[in-house]
Amino acid sequence: MFDLGKAKICASKMKNYFNSIEEIANVEIPNDIKIGTNEHILYIFYSCLLDYGMRSKIYHCNLINTYNKHKEIFDPSYVVKTFKDNEESLLNIIKENIHPRYPNIALKNG
């Protein structure tokens, strides 16, 4: 499911591209996530995927709180296994905790 070789190529190209940019976006993450781990990458992926231009500070606070309450929904394997036939349950978690601007799209893309 996760191609490490392609991920490394992508990361290298992104590093080269952003190397000359001095301003970086600071994305807050839950305290128990170690930077550089697979868990960190997945968290940042979901963070970027669901951020549709809403007020980022509130959004990231909601996302961290959701991670602390529902860590399991940040694991793609768990989500597919658990919510494949029960999307409404996942949609409710997303709507009630993360509050993305477009919850149905967040469900479809997440």
Side-chain angles (χ1 to χ4, degrees):
M1 177 176 178
F2 182 75
D3 187 331
L4 184 59
K6 288 183 181 179
K8 285 182 178 181
I9 291 169
C10 181
S12 176
K13 288 185 179 203
M14 288 187 345
K15 180 181 178 185
N16 289 337
Y17 175 79
F18 289 104
N19 200 28
S20 63
I21 297 175
E22 293 183 22
E23 282 186 37
I24 60 170
N26 184 21
V27 177
E28 294 182 33
I29 62 172
N31 292 332
D32 61 334
I33 292 180
K34 292 183 181 177
I35 293 176
T37 62
N38 191 49
E39 189 176 23
H40 178 232
I41 293 168
L42 290 170
Y43 184 87
I44 295 298
F45 172 78
Y46 282 108
S47 171
C48 294
L49 181 69
L50 298 176
D51 188 354
Y52 289 99
M54 64 186 287
R55 293 183 294 177
S56 290
K57 192 75 168 168
I58 294 170
Y59 164 73
H60 287 289
C61 182
N62 291 345
L63 198 63
I64 288 171
N65 290 336
T66 303
Y67 180 85
N68 290 330
K69 289 183 350 190
H70 300 283
K71 188 181 289 191
E72 68 279 1
I73 72 166
F74 291 82
D75 177 353
S77 299
Y78 177 86
V79 170
V80 170
K81 184 171 49 174
T82 306
F83 298 107
K84 184 177 182 180
D85 297 322
N86 188 12
E87 289 183 352
E88 191 68 29
S89 180
L90 179 58
L91 180 62
N92 287 334
I93 293 171
I94 291 169
K95 286 176 17 179
E96 293 171 7
N97 294 277
I98 302 172
H99 308 288
R101 182 177 290 172
Y102 305 109
N104 291 320
I105 293 174
L107 175 69
K108 180 182 173 188
N109 291 341

